[in-house]
Amino acid sequence: MQIPSFLFFVSACEAALLVRHPSTLFRPVSAQFQVRTHTTTVRLQESPSDSASPGLIDALKMRARIFQESNAAGLGFKQCVADAIAGEYDKGSTEAELRKIIGSAPVVMFSWTVSPACKKAKRLLALAGVEVKVVELDQPWSEGNPKRAQLGRMTGKSSVPSIWINGEYIGGCDDGPTDSAPGLIDYTFQGKLAPLLTK
């Protein structure tokens, strides 16, 4: 059974604890390791040394290393978490794939199916009669997590929705990272959305 990688970074507190005090999370219990959080105790089996695939412990160590590298590079906490969840991936080919998707339709939205902000953005764009190409980043997580991390590196915002109109990033639903990308609602009230849609 494959456990989604996002479960390892359930909360910002756990991610920060893992980075700052990795030795406090793993306590040997015979041939197993024990991970303690404020709500749950999970026992993890180490992968056999002859196994070709990394075990859970190895995956956690890799994600902690990636988080630390992103943090050392000066990236924000949310981007560090997005990078850690994404794991190791080819940033160049992922960005090329994203640019291809962004250029494939006049309006593109990267989304999570259960996100309230994404649902709100979809509803507002539908009310405006806008046809949107929606890319669900949680279908499957294994493909969406690297895309989300790379979108964060491209835009300065790793959260979703990530809305693009005619190849231009406008932000999320309620906000964005800059004045030039303030988000869908601000764009609409500033009178900038309609002109973008008619290009």
Side-chain angles (χ1 to χ4, degrees):
M1 176 177 121
Q2 183 178 2
I3 300 172
S5 60
F6 68 88
L7 291 178
F8 301 122
F9 286 87
V10 173
S11 73
C13 295
E14 290 170 335
L17 181 61
L18 178 60
V19 171
R20 291 188 181 98
H21 307 287
S23 63
T24 63
L25 288 180
F26 303 105
R27 295 190 174 100
V29 179
S30 65
Q32 295 181 334
F33 285 88
Q34 187 171 1
V35 177
R36 294 190 184 273
T37 67
H38 61 283
T39 57
T40 307
T41 300
V42 180
R43 293 183 184 273
L44 305 174
Q45 185 75 32
E46 277 189 286
S47 61
S49 58
D50 61 344
S51 173
S53 62
L56 231 35
I57 298 296
D58 295 331
L60 283 170
K61 287 178 182 177
M62 178 261 303
R63 292 181 195 298
R65 177 185 49 78
I66 290 170
F67 184 101
Q68 291 170 333
E69 289 170 357
S70 296
N71 189 41
L75 299 174
F77 181 79
K78 287 183 179 181
Q79 183 63 48
C80 294
V81 172
D83 288 347
I85 290 170
E88 294 176 333
Y89 67 96
D90 183 334
K91 291 174 180 57
S93 66
T94 301
E95 183 167 343
E97 181 183 357
L98 287 168
R99 297 246 178 242
K100 185 176 178 182
I101 294 168
I102 290 164
S104 69
V107 181
V108 176
M109 181 171 76
F110 296 92
S111 169
W112 285 345
T113 55
V114 297
S115 162
C118 293
K119 289 178 181 181
K120 181 178 177 181
K122 290 173 191 172
R123 183 177 55 79
L124 293 172
L125 288 166
L127 282 171
V130 178
E131 187 176 324
V132 181
K133 178 176 184 171
V134 177
V135 179
E136 299 292 0
L137 297 178
D138 55 353
Q139 304 292 324
W141 287 107
S142 59
E143 293 176 19
N145 286 333
K147 289 176 185 164
R148 173 185 169 227
Q150 195 60 35
L151 281 166
R153 288 173 172 266
M154 291 165 58
T155 65
K157 188 172 184 212
S158 63
S159 59
V160 291
S162 180
I163 303 170
W164 299 73
I165 299 177
N166 296 321
E168 182 181 332
Y169 176 63
I170 68 159
C173 183
D174 298 319
D175 63 357
T178 65
D179 289 340
S180 63
L184 179 63
I185 291 175
D186 282 5
Y187 244 77
T188 303
F189 281 104
Q190 293 171 5
K192 295 179 182 178
L193 184 62
L196 266 180
L197 294 171
T198 58
K199 279 187 181 179

